[in-house]
Short mmCIF file of all heavy atoms in Angstrom, two decimals:
data_model
loop_
_atom_site.label_atom_id
_atom_site.label_comp_id
_atom_site.label_asym_id
_atom_site.label_seq_id
_atom_site.Cartn_x
_atom_site.Cartn_y
_atom_site.Cartn_z
N PHE A 1034 13.65 -9.57 -21.37
CA PHE A 1034 13.41 -8.31 -21.91
C PHE A 1034 12.11 -7.74 -21.30
O PHE A 1034 11.05 -8.42 -21.24
CB PHE A 1034 13.25 -8.41 -23.45
CG PHE A 1034 12.93 -7.07 -24.13
CD1 PHE A 1034 13.81 -6.08 -24.11
CD2 PHE A 1034 11.72 -6.89 -24.83
CE1 PHE A 1034 13.60 -4.87 -24.71
CE2 PHE A 1034 11.45 -5.75 -25.49
CZ PHE A 1034 12.37 -4.66 -25.40
N LEU A 1035 12.17 -6.50 -20.88
CA LEU A 1035 11.03 -5.76 -20.38
C LEU A 1035 10.66 -4.63 -21.28
O LEU A 1035 11.27 -3.55 -21.20
CB LEU A 1035 11.32 -5.20 -18.94
CG LEU A 1035 11.37 -6.20 -17.78
CD1 LEU A 1035 12.58 -7.03 -17.83
CD2 LEU A 1035 11.32 -5.43 -16.51
N PRO A 1036 9.70 -4.87 -22.15
CA PRO A 1036 9.38 -3.80 -23.14
C PRO A 1036 8.66 -2.68 -22.50
O PRO A 1036 7.84 -2.84 -21.59
CB PRO A 1036 8.47 -4.54 -24.14
CG PRO A 1036 7.87 -5.74 -23.43
CD PRO A 1036 8.95 -6.09 -22.41
N PHE A 1037 8.94 -1.45 -22.90
CA PHE A 1037 8.27 -0.26 -22.30
C PHE A 1037 6.78 -0.32 -22.43
O PHE A 1037 6.01 0.26 -21.63
CB PHE A 1037 8.86 0.99 -22.86
CG PHE A 1037 10.30 1.29 -22.48
CD1 PHE A 1037 11.15 1.81 -23.40
CD2 PHE A 1037 10.74 0.98 -21.21
CE1 PHE A 1037 12.49 2.10 -23.07
CE2 PHE A 1037 12.05 1.21 -20.84
CZ PHE A 1037 12.92 1.75 -21.78
N LYS A 1038 6.27 -0.96 -23.55
CA LYS A 1038 4.82 -1.04 -23.68
C LYS A 1038 4.12 -1.84 -22.56
O LYS A 1038 3.02 -1.55 -22.16
CB LYS A 1038 4.42 -1.65 -25.05
CG LYS A 1038 4.75 -3.09 -25.19
CD LYS A 1038 4.29 -3.65 -26.58
CE LYS A 1038 4.52 -5.12 -26.69
NZ LYS A 1038 3.82 -5.98 -25.83
N ASP A 1039 4.86 -2.77 -21.98
CA ASP A 1039 4.36 -3.54 -20.84
C ASP A 1039 4.85 -3.00 -19.49
O ASP A 1039 4.20 -3.28 -18.45
CB ASP A 1039 4.75 -5.01 -20.96
CG ASP A 1039 4.13 -5.70 -22.17
OD1 ASP A 1039 3.00 -5.39 -22.47
OD2 ASP A 1039 4.83 -6.52 -22.76
N PHE A 1040 5.97 -2.28 -19.45
CA PHE A 1040 6.56 -1.77 -18.19
C PHE A 1040 6.82 -0.30 -18.40
O PHE A 1040 8.02 0.10 -18.46
CB PHE A 1040 7.77 -2.58 -17.90
CG PHE A 1040 7.54 -4.04 -17.69
CD1 PHE A 1040 7.75 -4.88 -18.76
CD2 PHE A 1040 7.05 -4.56 -16.51
CE1 PHE A 1040 7.46 -6.26 -18.61
CE2 PHE A 1040 6.74 -5.93 -16.39
CZ PHE A 1040 7.00 -6.78 -17.46
N PRO A 1041 5.80 0.53 -18.61
CA PRO A 1041 6.02 1.94 -18.97
C PRO A 1041 6.69 2.84 -17.93
O PRO A 1041 7.23 3.88 -18.28
CB PRO A 1041 4.60 2.45 -19.23
CG PRO A 1041 3.69 1.55 -18.41
CD PRO A 1041 4.41 0.19 -18.41
N TRP A 1042 6.73 2.40 -16.65
CA TRP A 1042 7.36 3.16 -15.61
C TRP A 1042 8.80 3.42 -15.87
O TRP A 1042 9.41 4.37 -15.35
CB TRP A 1042 7.21 2.46 -14.29
CG TRP A 1042 5.86 1.87 -14.05
CD1 TRP A 1042 4.71 2.51 -13.85
CD2 TRP A 1042 5.53 0.47 -14.24
NE1 TRP A 1042 3.70 1.63 -13.78
CE2 TRP A 1042 4.10 0.36 -14.05
CE3 TRP A 1042 6.27 -0.62 -14.54
CZ2 TRP A 1042 3.50 -0.86 -14.09
CZ3 TRP A 1042 5.57 -1.85 -14.61
CH2 TRP A 1042 4.21 -2.00 -14.37
N PHE A 1043 9.49 2.57 -16.65
CA PHE A 1043 10.90 2.67 -16.87
C PHE A 1043 11.23 3.62 -17.99
O PHE A 1043 12.38 4.13 -18.19
CB PHE A 1043 11.58 1.32 -17.20
CG PHE A 1043 11.50 0.30 -16.04
CD1 PHE A 1043 10.56 -0.73 -16.09
CD2 PHE A 1043 12.25 0.42 -14.90
CE1 PHE A 1043 10.48 -1.64 -15.07
CE2 PHE A 1043 12.18 -0.42 -13.90
CZ PHE A 1043 11.32 -1.46 -13.94
N ARG A 1044 10.29 3.91 -18.90
CA ARG A 1044 10.52 4.67 -20.14
C ARG A 1044 11.19 6.07 -19.88
O ARG A 1044 12.14 6.33 -20.51
CB ARG A 1044 9.25 4.89 -20.89
CG ARG A 1044 9.46 5.61 -22.24
CD ARG A 1044 8.17 5.80 -22.89
NE ARG A 1044 7.57 4.44 -22.99
CZ ARG A 1044 6.95 3.89 -24.04
NH1 ARG A 1044 6.82 4.59 -25.11
NH2 ARG A 1044 6.48 2.70 -24.03
N GLU A 1045 10.71 6.82 -18.96
CA GLU A 1045 11.19 8.15 -18.74
C GLU A 1045 12.19 8.29 -17.58
O GLU A 1045 12.60 9.37 -17.21
CB GLU A 1045 10.08 9.13 -18.52
CG GLU A 1045 9.14 9.27 -19.82
CD GLU A 1045 9.82 9.74 -21.04
OE1 GLU A 1045 10.71 10.61 -20.95
OE2 GLU A 1045 9.50 9.24 -22.19
N ALA A 1046 12.44 7.10 -16.96
CA ALA A 1046 13.36 7.14 -15.79
C ALA A 1046 14.78 7.35 -16.12
O ALA A 1046 15.25 6.95 -17.15
CB ALA A 1046 13.20 5.82 -14.98
N ALA A 1047 15.44 8.01 -15.23
CA ALA A 1047 16.91 8.24 -15.45
C ALA A 1047 17.65 6.91 -15.43
O ALA A 1047 17.28 5.96 -14.66
CB ALA A 1047 17.45 9.13 -14.27
N ILE A 1048 18.65 6.74 -16.28
CA ILE A 1048 19.37 5.53 -16.42
C ILE A 1048 19.98 5.01 -15.14
O ILE A 1048 19.90 3.82 -14.81
CB ILE A 1048 20.46 5.63 -17.55
CG1 ILE A 1048 21.01 4.25 -17.94
CG2 ILE A 1048 21.58 6.54 -17.09
CD1 ILE A 1048 20.06 3.45 -18.65
N GLY A 1049 20.46 5.88 -14.26
CA GLY A 1049 21.02 5.44 -12.98
C GLY A 1049 19.93 4.85 -12.10
O GLY A 1049 20.23 3.92 -11.35
N LYS A 1050 18.69 5.35 -12.15
CA LYS A 1050 17.66 4.75 -11.38
C LYS A 1050 17.22 3.43 -11.91
O LYS A 1050 16.81 2.52 -11.18
CB LYS A 1050 16.48 5.70 -11.31
CG LYS A 1050 16.76 7.00 -10.54
CD LYS A 1050 15.61 7.90 -10.50
CE LYS A 1050 15.94 9.15 -9.68
NZ LYS A 1050 14.85 10.06 -9.51
N VAL A 1051 17.21 3.26 -13.23
CA VAL A 1051 16.86 1.98 -13.85
C VAL A 1051 17.92 0.95 -13.51
O VAL A 1051 17.61 -0.21 -13.28
CB VAL A 1051 16.76 2.14 -15.38
CG1 VAL A 1051 16.58 0.78 -16.11
CG2 VAL A 1051 15.55 3.07 -15.71
N MET A 1052 19.19 1.39 -13.52
CA MET A 1052 20.30 0.38 -13.26
C MET A 1052 20.31 -0.10 -11.79
O MET A 1052 20.91 -1.15 -11.48
CB MET A 1052 21.60 1.06 -13.60
CG MET A 1052 21.71 1.44 -15.06
SD MET A 1052 21.62 0.11 -16.25
CE MET A 1052 23.24 -0.61 -16.10
N ASN A 1053 19.70 0.69 -10.84
CA ASN A 1053 19.75 0.37 -9.48
C ASN A 1053 18.60 -0.62 -9.12
O ASN A 1053 17.52 -0.22 -8.77
CB ASN A 1053 19.62 1.58 -8.58
CG ASN A 1053 19.72 1.32 -7.12
OD1 ASN A 1053 20.30 0.29 -6.70
ND2 ASN A 1053 19.26 2.22 -6.32
N VAL A 1054 18.87 -1.93 -9.32
CA VAL A 1054 17.90 -2.95 -9.07
C VAL A 1054 18.44 -3.89 -8.02
O VAL A 1054 19.64 -4.18 -7.99
CB VAL A 1054 17.44 -3.65 -10.37
CG1 VAL A 1054 18.67 -4.32 -11.04
CG2 VAL A 1054 16.38 -4.64 -10.15
N GLN A 1055 17.53 -4.43 -7.19
CA GLN A 1055 17.92 -5.36 -6.14
C GLN A 1055 17.08 -6.62 -6.19
O GLN A 1055 15.94 -6.56 -6.61
CB GLN A 1055 17.72 -4.73 -4.78
CG GLN A 1055 18.40 -3.44 -4.52
CD GLN A 1055 17.91 -2.70 -3.27
OE1 GLN A 1055 17.03 -3.19 -2.59
NE2 GLN A 1055 18.60 -1.63 -2.97
N ALA A 1056 17.64 -7.75 -5.95
CA ALA A 1056 16.94 -9.03 -5.82
C ALA A 1056 16.49 -9.17 -4.36
O ALA A 1056 17.32 -9.37 -3.52
CB ALA A 1056 17.83 -10.19 -6.31
N LEU A 1057 15.20 -9.12 -4.18
CA LEU A 1057 14.62 -9.32 -2.78
C LEU A 1057 14.53 -10.79 -2.49
O LEU A 1057 14.54 -11.20 -1.34
CB LEU A 1057 13.28 -8.58 -2.65
CG LEU A 1057 13.23 -7.12 -2.86
CD1 LEU A 1057 11.92 -6.55 -2.69
CD2 LEU A 1057 14.26 -6.44 -1.93
N SER A 1058 14.34 -11.59 -3.54
CA SER A 1058 14.41 -13.02 -3.48
C SER A 1058 14.80 -13.52 -4.82
O SER A 1058 15.04 -12.72 -5.76
CB SER A 1058 13.03 -13.59 -3.00
OG SER A 1058 12.04 -13.45 -4.02
N ALA A 1059 14.73 -14.81 -5.02
CA ALA A 1059 15.14 -15.39 -6.33
C ALA A 1059 14.15 -14.99 -7.50
O ALA A 1059 14.53 -15.06 -8.59
CB ALA A 1059 15.23 -16.88 -6.23
N ASP A 1060 12.95 -14.56 -7.13
CA ASP A 1060 11.99 -14.17 -8.15
C ASP A 1060 11.29 -12.92 -7.90
O ASP A 1060 10.16 -12.63 -8.45
CB ASP A 1060 11.03 -15.34 -8.36
CG ASP A 1060 10.19 -15.61 -7.18
OD1 ASP A 1060 10.40 -15.05 -6.11
OD2 ASP A 1060 9.24 -16.43 -7.24
N HIS A 1061 11.87 -12.00 -7.07
CA HIS A 1061 11.21 -10.72 -6.72
C HIS A 1061 12.27 -9.67 -6.75
O HIS A 1061 13.31 -9.77 -6.09
CB HIS A 1061 10.57 -10.83 -5.33
CG HIS A 1061 9.73 -9.62 -5.00
ND1 HIS A 1061 9.14 -9.48 -3.81
CD2 HIS A 1061 9.41 -8.50 -5.69
CE1 HIS A 1061 8.48 -8.38 -3.74
NE2 HIS A 1061 8.63 -7.71 -4.91
N PHE A 1062 12.01 -8.63 -7.61
CA PHE A 1062 13.04 -7.59 -7.86
C PHE A 1062 12.46 -6.22 -7.51
O PHE A 1062 11.33 -5.94 -7.75
CB PHE A 1062 13.49 -7.71 -9.31
CG PHE A 1062 13.79 -9.16 -9.61
CD1 PHE A 1062 12.84 -9.89 -10.34
CD2 PHE A 1062 14.95 -9.76 -9.16
CE1 PHE A 1062 13.10 -11.19 -10.64
CE2 PHE A 1062 15.16 -11.08 -9.44
CZ PHE A 1062 14.19 -11.80 -10.17
N TYR A 1063 13.34 -5.32 -7.03
CA TYR A 1063 12.99 -3.99 -6.59
C TYR A 1063 13.90 -2.92 -7.13
O TYR A 1063 15.11 -3.09 -6.99
CB TYR A 1063 12.93 -4.06 -5.05
CG TYR A 1063 12.48 -2.69 -4.50
CD1 TYR A 1063 11.21 -2.20 -4.78
CD2 TYR A 1063 13.24 -2.04 -3.58
CE1 TYR A 1063 10.75 -1.01 -4.18
CE2 TYR A 1063 12.84 -0.81 -3.01
CZ TYR A 1063 11.59 -0.34 -3.36
OH TYR A 1063 11.15 0.87 -2.82
N TRP A 1064 13.34 -1.89 -7.64
CA TRP A 1064 14.03 -0.71 -8.09
C TRP A 1064 13.75 0.40 -7.06
O TRP A 1064 12.74 1.06 -7.13
CB TRP A 1064 13.61 -0.23 -9.50
CG TRP A 1064 14.11 -1.05 -10.62
CD1 TRP A 1064 15.19 -0.74 -11.37
CD2 TRP A 1064 13.66 -2.30 -11.08
NE1 TRP A 1064 15.39 -1.74 -12.36
CE2 TRP A 1064 14.48 -2.75 -12.15
CE3 TRP A 1064 12.57 -3.13 -10.69
CZ2 TRP A 1064 14.24 -3.88 -12.84
CZ3 TRP A 1064 12.42 -4.33 -11.37
CH2 TRP A 1064 13.17 -4.69 -12.50
N PRO A 1065 14.57 0.56 -6.01
CA PRO A 1065 14.32 1.40 -4.93
C PRO A 1065 14.12 2.92 -5.28
O PRO A 1065 13.34 3.65 -4.77
CB PRO A 1065 15.45 1.26 -3.93
CG PRO A 1065 16.52 0.68 -4.74
CD PRO A 1065 15.90 -0.10 -5.79
N ASP A 1066 14.95 3.35 -6.29
CA ASP A 1066 14.83 4.75 -6.67
C ASP A 1066 13.58 5.10 -7.43
O ASP A 1066 13.16 6.26 -7.50
CB ASP A 1066 16.06 5.13 -7.58
CG ASP A 1066 17.35 5.00 -6.88
OD1 ASP A 1066 17.42 5.15 -5.63
OD2 ASP A 1066 18.39 4.67 -7.55
N LEU A 1067 12.87 4.02 -7.92
CA LEU A 1067 11.66 4.22 -8.74
C LEU A 1067 10.46 3.70 -7.96
O LEU A 1067 9.32 3.81 -8.44
CB LEU A 1067 11.79 3.51 -10.07
CG LEU A 1067 12.91 4.01 -10.93
CD1 LEU A 1067 13.10 3.10 -12.11
CD2 LEU A 1067 12.64 5.49 -11.42
N ASP A 1068 10.68 3.03 -6.83
CA ASP A 1068 9.64 2.31 -6.03
C ASP A 1068 8.84 1.38 -6.90
O ASP A 1068 7.64 1.35 -6.89
CB ASP A 1068 8.75 3.36 -5.36
CG ASP A 1068 7.90 2.75 -4.23
OD1 ASP A 1068 8.41 1.70 -3.65
OD2 ASP A 1068 6.80 3.21 -3.92
N ILE A 1069 9.54 0.55 -7.64
CA ILE A 1069 8.91 -0.44 -8.56
C ILE A 1069 9.34 -1.81 -8.03
O ILE A 1069 10.56 -2.03 -7.91
CB ILE A 1069 9.40 -0.27 -10.00
CG1 ILE A 1069 8.88 1.04 -10.56
CG2 ILE A 1069 8.87 -1.47 -10.87
CD1 ILE A 1069 9.40 1.45 -11.91
N ASP A 1070 8.41 -2.71 -7.84
CA ASP A 1070 8.82 -4.09 -7.56
C ASP A 1070 8.07 -4.96 -8.52
O ASP A 1070 6.86 -4.82 -8.79
CB ASP A 1070 8.67 -4.46 -6.11
CG ASP A 1070 7.23 -4.45 -5.68
OD1 ASP A 1070 6.53 -3.41 -5.87
OD2 ASP A 1070 6.76 -5.45 -5.08
N LEU A 1071 8.77 -6.00 -9.04
CA LEU A 1071 8.23 -6.93 -9.98
C LEU A 1071 8.69 -8.38 -9.59
O LEU A 1071 9.74 -8.51 -9.06
CB LEU A 1071 8.72 -6.65 -11.39
CG LEU A 1071 8.36 -5.32 -12.00
CD1 LEU A 1071 9.15 -5.07 -13.29
CD2 LEU A 1071 6.89 -5.22 -12.24
N ASP A 1072 7.79 -9.30 -9.91
CA ASP A 1072 8.21 -10.63 -9.71
C ASP A 1072 8.47 -11.33 -11.03
O ASP A 1072 8.06 -10.80 -12.10
CB ASP A 1072 7.28 -11.47 -8.83
CG ASP A 1072 5.84 -11.68 -9.43
OD1 ASP A 1072 5.78 -11.53 -10.67
OD2 ASP A 1072 4.98 -11.91 -8.66
N LEU A 1073 9.18 -12.40 -11.04
CA LEU A 1073 9.51 -13.07 -12.29
C LEU A 1073 8.30 -13.48 -13.13
O LEU A 1073 8.31 -13.40 -14.38
CB LEU A 1073 10.41 -14.27 -12.05
CG LEU A 1073 11.07 -15.00 -13.21
CD1 LEU A 1073 11.82 -13.99 -14.13
CD2 LEU A 1073 11.96 -16.09 -12.79
N GLU A 1074 7.26 -13.86 -12.48
CA GLU A 1074 5.99 -14.23 -13.16
C GLU A 1074 5.49 -13.07 -14.03
O GLU A 1074 5.10 -13.27 -15.14
CB GLU A 1074 4.97 -14.74 -12.18
CG GLU A 1074 3.69 -15.22 -12.80
CD GLU A 1074 3.77 -16.50 -13.54
OE1 GLU A 1074 4.79 -17.23 -13.37
OE2 GLU A 1074 2.86 -16.83 -14.34
N SER A 1075 5.49 -11.84 -13.46
CA SER A 1075 4.97 -10.71 -14.20
C SER A 1075 5.92 -10.33 -15.33
O SER A 1075 5.48 -9.75 -16.36
CB SER A 1075 4.74 -9.52 -13.30
OG SER A 1075 5.89 -9.07 -12.70
N ILE A 1076 7.21 -10.62 -15.19
CA ILE A 1076 8.15 -10.35 -16.27
C ILE A 1076 8.03 -11.32 -17.33
O ILE A 1076 8.03 -10.98 -18.56
CB ILE A 1076 9.61 -10.32 -15.68
CG1 ILE A 1076 9.82 -9.11 -14.73
CG2 ILE A 1076 10.65 -10.23 -16.82
CD1 ILE A 1076 11.06 -9.17 -13.93
N ALA A 1077 7.83 -12.58 -16.96
CA ALA A 1077 7.70 -13.62 -17.98
C ALA A 1077 6.39 -13.60 -18.70
O ALA A 1077 6.30 -13.94 -19.88
CB ALA A 1077 7.92 -14.98 -17.29
#
């Protein structure tokens, strides 16, 4: 779970942009339409 209070960039984003996520590695994720990248450590 990524709460908006900790990840506010997603709050106002269009649903299609939020759904478009890519795994760059097993623990690094990228939302190209939003130019957001997060690793598993920052999510956990």
Side-chain angles (χ1 to χ4, degrees):
F1034 180 62
L1035 286 72
F1037 292 142
K1038 70 178 181 64
D1039 295 324
F1040 303 94
W1042 319 284
F1043 296 107
R1044 181 180 309 222
E1045 299 298 325
I1048 192 72
K1050 292 180 178 184
V1051 172
M1052 301 297 284
N1053 183 21
V1054 58
Q1055 302 168 358
L1057 300 180
S1058 70
D1060 63 353
H1061 189 183
F1062 313 101
Y1063 182 59
W1064 285 260
D1066 297 331
L1067 301 170
D1068 195 27
I1069 296 171
D1070 64 308
L1071 298 171
D1072 63 23
L1073 188 54
E1074 182 72 13
S1075 67
I1076 293 169

